[in-house]
Amino acid sequence: MGTWKTKNGNTKKKISYISVPAQIINSVSSSSLHSFLDNKSSTKNTSKFFFNLRNPKLWAFSLFLLSILGISLRLGLCLSHFGSGVYESQLQSSDSNGSPKSHLGFAYIRSNTTQVEISNAKDRSLDTGVEKNETFGGDQSHLITSNGNVHDDKNYDFWKQPDGLGYKTCLDFSIEYRRESKKIVAERRKYLMVVVSGGLNQQKIQIVDAVVIARILGAVLVVPILQINLIWGDESEFSDIFDLEQFKSILANDVKIVSLLPASKLMTRPSEDGSMPFNASPQWIRSHYLKRFNREGVLLLRRFDSRLSKDLPSDLQKLRCKVAFEALKFSPRVLEMGTKLAERMRSKGPYIALHLRMEKDVWVRTGCLSGLSSKYDEIVNIERIKRPELLTAKSSMTSNERKLAGLCPLNAKEVTRLLRALGAPRDARIYWAGGEPLGGKEALKPLTSEFPHLYNKYDIALPLELKPFAKRASIMAAIDYIVCKESDVFMASHGGNMGHAIQGHRAYEGHKKIITPNKRHMLPYFVNSSMTKTEFEKMIKKLHRQSLGQPELRISKAGRDVTKYPVPECMCNQSNTTI
């Protein structure tokens, strides 16, 4: 309560007041406040209202209420500012090196000042115009840690990437190798021509070996000729699938590569050979082919798929990795298409890639049954009787014996149970690669019923995007390869060349997660009906604890392909950590 006095000390007027901070007054709309205090209405009710305000007690009470209101508003604003400030500082901390990204460079979180947009809206793909599949993508919210792992309390373990134990790409060739390189790349008298056959990944294996053989012989390599595939009618040439200039430039210091024979050699009839034995050594290569070079100057090799020894001197093993992982890049248009589909798969978080081997010819060749129904079992058996030469498995074993020995592809039901036991979330997006499964969509029902967001390249591409590659089976396989390699988790249902190639490539790029089904040990538990779901999942996780993409030494088993197991020849451990 304050008093104002006249000069003679008499009290002139008493006024009640409360000290209110300016910030509180500012928190209330100034126009409303002035309207409330200064409006002089001629109406009777308004006059009475302001007359009552002259009452000191009422005036004090009114200002007290205003103070409480202002303090409440101010407190709310402070708390809100404090919370957003903490969140912003957390974002700034995690974003000190750019937006949090996956190990492939695609951001899952986009920061806009203090706002964080997590992709959890209605289904939509990364590219506008993917109208073909309106349900593409599903709903998922994930945060990405600085090392590219997904931070999700419920699904963290499944998306977590393996520990690479410090292994990094390391292609340190010996001084002797580098000294010989100068002489070899200057060679102009010996030319090696090769014809490669089979599917994409068979072609890649042969191209890798062709480069190594050219190096062993000190010969110029003519760009490999891709044999027309009679099964798929694929007439693709090397440059249709692979980046030719990249291939030449990356290997410029290892092997001289030319697109065509020089004019002086065009009329030369090449010495042709198709009798290379399995596990051929560098010594065998030199002793059998150098004399032919001295006579004709041109050597043509056919049918040498996987015949070169897997256990070569260290420098040649490094050369294998250099060809497979650095020189053999896909052509720009193939790479663009594959990368675009991978981005669409990752448009709202991580994804799984499966290479499913459930085609009719796979069941026939392996001597296994699909598990669909007696109708499809009969189809496979009839085909096997008609063409017994297709059977590559031991004919003395029954289909069931092969399955329990881990020699059969997993069917969709088994793939589903394995993924669920390992903790794959039901809303995970899954990309599947491979040919049309025996039984079509019916064969995939166990997968789609448990994981509804299941797609292949035809589901996520625009109607005309794949048309240029329609009759190019190797290019279609290359697109699948890219999307699978870029995935957060990869699994092949039955090994094979593609599964092995992707396993090695993912290891070489930092040991990204790959599930290797332990078929021989896990399948007995699949048929054990006495186990509870919890017991089953616990056992499956235990069996796969060391089969999730961790570094694995090639030298622990003779005959392993270095392009599948690049440790230790092609990767160095700077931290001296042992496996």
Side-chain angles (χ1 to χ4, degrees):
M1 182 73 71
T3 59
W4 288 357
K5 297 183 178 181
T6 62
K7 291 182 179 181
N8 59 9
N10 296 327
T11 301
K12 182 177 182 181
K13 189 179 293 185
K14 291 183 179 181
I15 298 176
S16 300
Y17 66 90
I18 296 175
S19 177
V20 181
Q23 294 91 332
I24 295 175
I25 299 298
N26 291 337
S27 68
V28 182
S29 171
S30 59
S31 61
S32 299
L33 188 61
H34 285 301
S35 174
F36 175 73
L37 293 176
D38 298 330
N39 184 23
K40 295 182 179 180
S41 174
S42 60
T43 63
K44 184 176 180 180
N45 291 336
T46 304
S47 299
K48 287 183 178 181
F49 180 79
F50 277 97
F51 176 80
N52 290 334
L53 282 179
R54 294 169 185 164
N55 186 323
K57 292 183 180 180
L58 182 59
W59 175 239
F61 181 72
S62 299
L63 284 180
F64 176 75
L65 289 179
L66 280 175
S67 301
I68 296 299
L69 175 62
I71 291 170
S72 300
L73 289 172
R74 182 64 177 170
L75 182 60
L77 289 171
C78 289
L79 289 175
S80 175
H81 178 72
F82 174 77
S84 63
V86 171
Y87 197 36
E88 183 176 5
S89 66
Q90 290 175 341
L91 280 177
Q92 288 172 347
S93 174
S94 67
D95 200 34
S96 59
N97 295 318
S99 298
K101 296 182 179 181
S102 73
H103 54 272
L104 301 167
F106 298 114
Y108 294 164
I109 299 177
R110 298 184 294 278
S111 175
N112 180 15
T113 62
T114 62
Q115 300 298 315
V116 178
E117 178 186 341
I118 300 177
S119 182
N120 192 25
K122 292 182 179 180
D123 293 338
R124 65 182 186 274
S125 75
L126 184 68
D127 283 25
T128 58
V130 182
E131 305 108 351
K132 186 174 181 180
N133 191 333
E134 295 179 357
T135 61
F136 172 73
D139 274 343
Q140 282 187 326
S141 298
H142 297 287
L143 301 180
I144 305 301
T145 60
S146 58
N147 63 355
N149 292 333
V150 177
H151 181 68
D152 184 311
D153 291 340
K154 186 173 69 171
N155 303 317
Y156 176 76
D157 285 342
F158 181 79
W159 297 114
K160 184 180 179 182
Q161 296 300 312
D163 187 349
L165 300 178
Y167 280 98
K168 305 292 182 183
T169 299
C170 181
L171 297 179
D172 293 334
F173 293 96
S174 68
I175 295 175
E176 182 182 358
Y177 179 92
R178 295 197 298 269
R179 187 184 301 121
E180 290 179 354
S181 294
K182 296 179 181 179
K183 181 175 64 176
I184 289 174
V185 297
E187 173 63 45
R188 294 294 184 275
R189 296 177 297 107
K190 296 179 289 188
Y191 289 84
L192 175 64
M193 300 177 66
V194 296
V195 177
V196 301
S197 59
L200 172 71
N201 293 288
Q202 284 177 287
Q203 293 170 345
K204 288 180 65 178
I205 291 171
Q206 292 169 73
I207 293 169
V208 170
D209 284 356
V211 173
V212 176
I213 293 171
R215 172 76 192 198
I216 292 171
L217 295 171
V220 178
L221 177 65
V222 181
V223 172
I225 301 167
L226 275 54
Q227 182 174 304
I228 296 176
N229 194 301
L230 298 178
I231 297 176
W232 299 295
D234 191 343
E235 299 181 359
S236 299
E237 296 182 357
F238 186 98
S239 58
D240 294 325
I241 304 172
F242 304 104
D243 189 330
L244 179 56
E245 295 308 313
Q246 168 97 355
F247 183 66
K248 289 180 178 180
S249 62
I250 292 295
L251 298 173
N253 295 325
D254 303 279
V255 175
K256 176 70 176 178
I257 300 174
V258 297
S259 297
L260 298 169
L261 282 172
S264 60
K265 299 290 184 181
L266 288 178
M267 300 303 294
T268 303
R269 182 176 180 178
S271 176
E272 186 173 341
D273 186 272
S275 60
M276 184 186 296
F278 286 104
N279 205 34
S281 66
Q283 293 76 20
W284 189 95
I285 299 289
R286 292 190 188 96
S287 64
H288 282 74
Y289 296 139
L290 282 177
K291 289 182 180 179
R292 298 190 185 192
F293 269 133
N294 292 334
R295 291 198 306 266
E296 289 88 8
V298 181
L299 174 65
L300 174 62
L301 294 183
R302 299 176 184 269
R303 299 183 296 278
F304 61 100
D305 184 15
S306 298
R307 292 177 181 266
L308 182 62
S309 173
K310 304 301 181 196
D311 300 306
L312 298 174
S314 179
D315 285 323
L316 295 180
Q317 297 288 59
K318 288 179 170 62
L319 180 58
R320 266 183 163 148
C321 290
K322 188 174 183 178
V323 180
F325 305 134
E326 298 184 12
L328 272 181
K329 298 293 185 181
F330 294 115
S331 65
R333 68 172 189 157
V334 174
L335 186 60
E336 179 185 10
M337 188 70 251
T339 302
K340 187 180 293 184
L341 297 189
E343 288 174 349
R344 288 176 188 167
M345 284 302 300
R346 179 171 281 104
S347 62
K348 292 196 290 183
Y351 69 95
I352 306 167
L354 301 177
H355 185 216
L356 300 180
R357 303 305 312 279
M358 301 193 300
E359 302 95 324
K360 175 182 172 182
D361 69 294
V362 174
W363 298 117
V364 173
R365 287 188 291 103
T366 58
C368 303
L369 298 177
S370 65
L372 282 172
S373 66
S374 57
K375 168 189 171 183
Y376 293 106
D377 290 348
E378 185 65 18
I379 292 173
V380 171
N381 285 326
I382 291 174
E383 189 70 20
R384 200 175 292 145
I385 292 170
K386 287 167 53 180
R387 303 184 63 187
E389 72 278 5
L390 295 177
L391 182 62
T392 57
K394 295 179 180 179
S395 58
S396 59
M397 298 176 69
T398 66
S399 176
N400 190 55
E401 288 172 339
R402 291 190 184 97
K403 177 178 280 293
L404 293 178
L407 301 176
C408 292
L410 297 177
N411 58 34
K413 183 177 181 180
E414 292 158 346
V415 169
T416 303
R417 292 193 67 188
L418 176 57
L419 288 175
R420 291 297 292 135
L422 292 176
R426 191 175 188 276
D427 61 352
R429 286 173 310 289
I430 300 179
Y431 180 92
W432 71 273
E436 179 71 15
L438 176 66
K441 291 183 179 180
E442 181 183 344
L444 296 176
K445 274 186 179 179
L447 259 173
T448 54
S449 62
E450 188 67 32
F451 299 101
H453 304 301
L454 182 70
Y455 314 100
N456 65 8
K457 55 183 171 288
Y458 300 105
D459 296 318
I460 60 177
L462 293 174
L464 299 179
E465 281 182 316
L466 295 177
K467 188 175 181 180
F469 316 120
K471 295 184 178 180
R472 307 287 184 175
S474 290
I475 292 179
M476 288 293 203
I479 292 170
D480 276 341
Y481 185 99
I482 294 167
V483 183
C484 289
K485 182 180 75 70
E486 298 296 298
S487 66
D488 298 270
V489 178
F490 171 74
M491 186 177 84
S493 66
H494 187 56
N497 290 326
M498 181 168 170
H500 293 168
I502 292 176
Q503 176 178 333
H505 212 147
R506 290 170 71 87
Y508 190 79
E509 292 188 348
H511 289 96
K512 295 183 287 186
K513 186 168 183 177
I514 176 171
I515 300 170
T516 304
N518 190 342
K519 292 185 285 187
R520 188 164 65 88
H521 290 101
M522 78 178 187
L523 286 175
Y525 296 103
F526 277 58
V527 296
N528 187 344
S529 58
S530 64
M531 293 184 73
T532 65
K533 180 182 177 181
T534 301
E535 290 172 336
F536 174 77
E537 291 179 352
K538 184 177 180 180
M539 183 55 65
I540 295 301
K541 287 179 179 178
K542 181 179 179 181
L543 289 175
H544 292 85
R545 194 171 295 153
Q546 300 302 320
S547 305
L548 300 175
Q550 303 92 332
E552 190 172 352
L553 289 174
R554 188 196 75 85
I555 57 177
S556 61
K557 289 184 180 179
R560 282 184 166 186
D561 192 335
V562 71
T563 59
K564 181 181 178 183
Y565 301 98
V567 177
E569 286 96 339
C570 304
M571 302 187 77
C572 302
N573 187 338
Q574 305 296 342
S575 62
N576 295 320
T577 304
T578 57
I579 293 180

